[in-house]
Amino acid sequence: MKRKQSFSLYARGRSFVYAFTGIKTFFKNEHNALLHLAGTIVVLFLAILVKVSAIEVAILVLVTGLVWMAELFNTAIERMMDFISLKQHPGIKFIKDISAAAVLIAAIAAFITGCIVFVPKL
C-alpha cells in the first residue's frame, strides 16, 4: 500500500507541466487538433464580431471546452487501445468507435449551440 504523501507546491506545479506537455504533444501529433483549433478561432472571431453577451460567452466556452475534452479523451483512448494491440480486434474497434462517437456528439452539440447563439445575430 502506498504511503500518503504530504502536500507539495512543487508537485502541484509539476502536474501543470505534465498537462501542458500533454497539450503540446496533442497539437504535435494529432491532425484533428488543428481542426478544433480552427473551429475555436472561428467561434472567438464571431463572438467578438457580433458582440455576444456574457452568458453567451460562458455557454460558448463550455461547449467549446466540451469538444476539446472529448477529443483529448478520444485520443488517449485510441492510443491506449493501440498500445494494447495494433491487430484488428472487434472489442478494440468498438471502444475506438464509441470514443469517436463521443467527439461527434460533443461537436454536434457545440455546432447547434453556435447556431442558436450566432444565427439570430447574423
Side-chain angles (χ1 to χ4, degrees), residues 6-44:
S6 61
F7 180 81
S8 162
L9 285 176
Y10 177 76
R12 298 296 67 80
R14 292 294 306 156
S15 67
F16 280 96
V17 171
Y18 299 141
F20 284 112
T21 299
I23 292 170
K24 185 173 116 180
T25 303
F26 176 67
F27 275 100
K28 185 178 176 183
N29 296 307
E30 294 299 318
H31 301 293
N32 285 343
L34 296 177
L35 293 174
H36 292 299
L37 181 60
T40 301
I41 291 168
V42 167
V43 168
L44 178 62

Side-chain angles (χ1 to χ4, degrees), residues 3 9-10 14 25 32 40-41 47-48 52-53 61 65 69 76 78-79 84 96-97 101 106-107 109:
R3 200 171 56 149
L9 285 176
Y10 177 76
R14 292 294 306 156
T25 303
N32 285 343
T40 301
I41 291 168
I48 292 168
V52 297
S53 71
V61 167
M69 286 174 46
E78 286 185 351
R79 292 293 177 99
I84 291 169
K96 286 182 165 188
D97 289 350

Side-chain angles (χ1 to χ4, degrees), residues 58-77:
I59 292 167
L60 291 171
V61 167
L62 285 172
V63 296
T64 302
L66 176 68
V67 173
W68 280 104
M69 286 174 46
E71 186 60 51
L72 286 161
F73 280 127
N74 177 53
T75 299
I77 291 167

Side-chain angles (χ1 to χ4, degrees), residues 83-97:
F83 182 75
I84 291 169
S85 175
L86 290 174
K87 295 179 184 174
Q88 293 286 339
H89 186 280
I92 289 177
K93 180 185 182 321
F94 175 79
I95 292 166
K96 286 182 165 188
D97 289 350

